[in-house]
Amino acid sequence: MQRAAALVRRGCGPRTPSSWGRSQSSAAAEASAVLKVRPERSRRERILTLESMNPQVKAVEYAVRGPIVLKAGEIELELQRGIKKPFTEVIRANIGDAQAMGQQPITFLRQVMALCTYPNLLDSPSFPEDAKKRARRILQACGGHSLGSYSASQGVNCIREDVAAYITRRDGGVPADPDNIYLTTGASDGISQVQSRKCIEDVIHFAWEEKLFLLADEVYQDNVYSPDCRFHSFKKVLYEMGPEYSSNVELASFHSTSKGYMGECGYRGGYMEVINLHPEIKGQLVKLLSVRLCPPVSGQAAMDIVVNPPVAGEESFEQFSREKESVLGNLAKKAKLTEDLFNQVPGIHCSPLQGAMYAFPRIFIPVKAVEAAQAHQMAPDMFYCMKLLEETGICVVPGSGFGQREGTYHFRMTILPPVEKLKTVLQKVKDFHINFLEKYA
């Protein structure tokens, strides 16, 4: 080490152009000699390997972003390099990313977010007063009057109060306590069925009887399309079932900016309401959330706008209502279109799409296709979806990633593409499925 340091020191002084080349060459030769006397060191094995890592992490599977999506990415790169395919683009129908599929943002939400992010705009006449009012309230509750302050990142109390008020209104006066509200990152996956009140009662009774903790994903509470269905919150039904249930069944329910009519996946905003949690466990939850820090403050602010939208008489109410109804109306139209077209295809059965933003059709897979899938060490519906991707460019999720009933096969597909593009997707699936049945008959 001393010799190496000396070499460095000798090479540090000012040099003339003629002496620099000689000294550099000499220093390199001496350094090489030093390295030659050192024993060859082999690289030791990595400490963190598949064998040494936490097996619970290795066991995690997420079908929505699994092998199908990786293959879709490879195909997209091949298309960019000019490799010819029987299609010109990959259509990612695997996830519910509304705005990536062309859904327009809700103007009022974006206006308030712009004002919160850049408060100088509060003086601009281009923004409506009700948007400014909400932005000022959020900013005043933030430490330093900025979404970027650390104290703001710890959770804005006014947003928790707004969430509690929203839940109370939604549930017909069943009270919500802001202390039971936790702001979270928001996202969700789902299918397309709306649970009836009777179904929810049965689930609650089962949880009470078996002493289970209930988790209710309610991010699609606005996405109800069937005229015979309506959204029932688990909390409201729980309270209406009487104190034997409402005082004992432990429940956590969730909502998000990512779905609904908003489709703001990028903000990662959401909330969780927890009922009947043991005080000591609540303390552990707070500790865990504190260690994890918090969701982005911009996401918290977006969630506040979702639960505190314009009301009748405010400047933005009419435009907000039009945009919300337009989004939900288009989704209802596409839900019916998808159901009808799938049910015209031999070997495909699609139940009514009552809500959310996905279809989950059941598909018939011939025995020879099942055997071919086994030969490739794939689940039959994974094999089907991979072939669909490779032949049409349509990326969907195999039903085996959702715990489907044994012996049945499905895939999940979003209904978010614009109507004309959705028609193209459905026609391609129809043509592929008929050819698939013929090939493996």
Side-chain angles (χ1 to χ4, degrees):
M1 290 296 292
Q2 290 175 339
R3 182 168 176 75
L7 288 172
V8 173
R9 284 197 297 273
R10 283 206 296 271
C12 288
R15 302 292 185 203
T16 63
S18 60
S19 65
W20 172 250
R22 292 194 300 274
S23 63
Q24 186 181 37
S25 176
S26 175
E30 292 186 37
S32 179
V34 170
L35 292 173
K36 284 181 180 178
V37 300
R38 290 180 179 172
E40 186 76 22
R41 292 185 179 179
S42 60
R43 177 178 290 180
R44 73 177 186 182
E45 294 182 357
R46 293 285 186 263
I47 295 170
L48 186 60
T49 65
L50 284 175
E51 289 71 33
S52 65
M53 72 181 294
N54 186 329
Q56 301 299 329
V57 174
K58 191 164 57 174
V60 170
E61 293 184 4
Y62 185 35
V64 176
R65 298 183 184 273
I68 290 283
V69 179
L70 295 177
K71 184 65 176 178
E74 292 174 9
I75 292 174
E76 284 178 325
L77 291 175
E78 290 173 354
L79 288 171
Q80 291 170 15
R81 294 200 298 267
I83 297 175
K84 296 299 181 183
K85 302 283 183 184
F87 48 87
T88 58
E89 65 172 331
V90 172
I91 299 175
R92 291 180 175 262
N94 59 305
I95 57 173
D97 190 348
Q99 292 183 24
M101 289 290 183
Q103 180 176 307
Q104 293 301 302
I106 298 296
T107 302
F108 184 77
L109 189 149
R110 288 298 182 91
Q111 287 173 331
V112 179
M113 292 307 303
L115 292 164
C116 287
T117 305
Y118 189 58
N120 287 359
L121 293 174
L122 288 165
D123 297 326
S124 170
S126 300
F127 290 82
E129 288 304 315
D130 49 355
K132 292 180 180 180
K133 177 182 176 182
R134 282 164 177 77
R136 286 191 184 97
R137 181 168 182 268
I138 293 170
L139 289 168
Q140 287 170 1
C142 293
H145 301 282
S146 167
L147 294 189
S149 70
Y150 180 77
S151 56
S153 73
Q154 299 310 293
V156 182
N157 284 333
C158 76
I159 297 177
R160 295 167 66 202
E161 292 167 0
D162 285 348
V163 169
Y166 162 79
I167 294 172
T168 302
R169 291 194 307 272
R170 181 200 68 188
D171 291 346
V174 177
D177 185 345
D179 287 341
N180 292 333
I181 307 295
Y182 300 89
L183 299 172
T184 66
T185 52
S188 176
D189 280 309
I191 309 297
S192 58
Q193 303 305 302
V194 178
Q195 289 184 306
S196 67
R197 181 188 174 88
K198 176 65 167 58
C199 178
I200 292 173
E201 288 177 352
D202 290 344
V203 170
I204 291 172
H205 177 74
F206 181 77
W208 174 82
E209 202 168 48
E210 298 295 328
K211 298 181 179 179
L212 300 176
F213 194 114
L214 267 179
L215 303 175
D217 180 352
E218 298 180 338
V219 304
Y220 294 106
Q221 54 193 260
D222 292 299
N223 300 79
V224 179
Y225 315 131
S226 172
D228 300 324
C229 298
R230 62 185 292 254
F231 169 74
H232 300 277
S233 85
F234 265 78
K235 180 188 172 186
K236 182 180 181 182
V237 175
L238 175 66
Y239 272 75
E240 290 175 348
M241 288 176 70
E244 186 175 14
Y245 293 96
S246 61
S247 300
N248 293 295
V249 175
E250 295 155 81
L251 168 69
S253 56
F254 307 89
H255 196 13
S256 167
T257 63
S258 300
K259 307 300 180 184
Y261 59 89
M262 304 78 66
E264 294 285 4
C265 296
Y267 278 119
R268 316 311 289 171
Y271 73 74
M272 170 178 67
E273 182 185 22
V274 181
I275 306 298
N276 293 326
L277 199 63
H278 190 288
E280 292 179 356
I281 298 300
K282 189 172 183 178
Q284 293 298 311
L285 173 61
V286 171
K287 179 184 72 175
L288 184 63
L289 293 174
S290 300
V291 169
R292 195 195 60 164
L293 294 182
C294 74
V297 185
S298 56
Q300 296 183 39
M303 192 70 242
D304 186 70
I305 303 159
V306 172
V307 300
N308 188 22
V311 296
E314 288 189 307
E315 185 177 350
S316 301
F317 177 72
E318 288 187 9
Q319 182 181 5
F320 170 82
S321 299
R322 281 197 310 271
E323 292 177 352
K324 177 180 176 180
E325 290 168 9
S326 174
V327 169
L328 295 176
N330 280 333
L331 285 170
K333 179 180 179 180
K334 290 186 282 189
K336 189 68 171 68
L337 172 70
T338 302
E339 176 194 341
D340 290 345
L341 291 184
F342 270 149
N343 284 328
Q344 295 173 15
V345 184
I348 294 183
H349 173 72
C350 186
S351 297
L353 277 63
Q354 299 171 336
M357 49 186 63
Y358 306 98
F360 196 67
R362 181 172 176 173
I363 51 176
F364 170 72
I365 297 183
V367 173
K368 285 187 179 179
V370 173
E371 292 171 350
Q374 291 169 346
H376 286 83
Q377 297 184 326
M378 289 184 183
D381 50 6
M382 171 66 82
F383 178 76
Y384 178 97
C385 292
M386 194 66 77
K387 291 294 183 184
L388 176 67
L389 172 64
E390 292 170 348
E391 295 180 24
T392 69
I394 298 170
C395 180
V396 298
V397 188
S400 50
F402 296 91
Q404 64 191 355
R405 183 177 297 172
E406 188 174 352
T408 66
Y409 307 112
H410 303 76
F411 65 80
R412 194 193 74 166
M413 186 192 87
T414 181
I415 61 170
L416 287 170
V419 171
E420 292 307 312
K421 192 165 195 174
L422 180 61
K423 288 179 180 178
T424 301
V425 170
L426 295 171
Q427 183 62 48
K428 285 187 174 185
V429 173
K430 175 183 178 179
D431 294 342
F432 166 82
H433 186 78
I434 291 172
N435 291 334
F436 185 86
L437 294 182
E438 292 174 353
K439 181 177 180 179
Y440 293 100

